[in-house]
Amino acid sequence: MTSRHLPVRIARVDLKAAAVAAGIHPDTLRKFVDLGLVTAHTDRTGSLWFARTVPDRVHTIVRLHSDLAVNYAGIALVLDLLARIEQLEQQRPIRLEGDTSWT
């Protein structure tokens, strides 16, 4: 049961809202989609819709490109590697400090 008084979290945002949240121009965000750096979903009208996590990803892309001078092909590789590292970290068993079970 939902209440009209509880805040509703929108699962997706449109192109303009995602660009504003990321601090970039909508055309730049569309370019990132075309390059495959950001995933967007298209509805029946052709409008692009983005997950709420897109601004964080865009900040990473902009930082890699502007601050570290990584080109867009390199950014795709870095993003893939970061996703793989995150996946491996989630699979890693958690060890408590001082645990020497490997010996």
Side-chain angles (χ1 to χ4, degrees), residues 31-44:
K31 177 181 177 180
F32 291 166
V33 171
D34 293 342
L35 291 170
L37 299 174
V38 174
T39 302
H41 301 283
T42 309
D43 64 11
R44 285 180 269 143

Side-chain angles (χ1 to χ4, degrees), residues 16-28:
K16 185 176 180 180
V20 167
I24 62 172
H25 193 276
D27 290 342
T28 304

Side-chain angles (χ1 to χ4, degrees), residues 6 9-10 31-32 36 38-39 41 43 46-47 59 61 69 80-81 88-89 93 95 99:
L6 295 176
R9 293 181 58 130
I10 300 171
K31 177 181 177 180
F32 291 166
V38 174
T39 302
H41 301 283
D43 64 11
S47 298
H59 290 148
I61 293 167
D80 287 344
L81 290 171
L88 289 170
E89 285 179 343
R95 289 203 172 118
D99 181 12

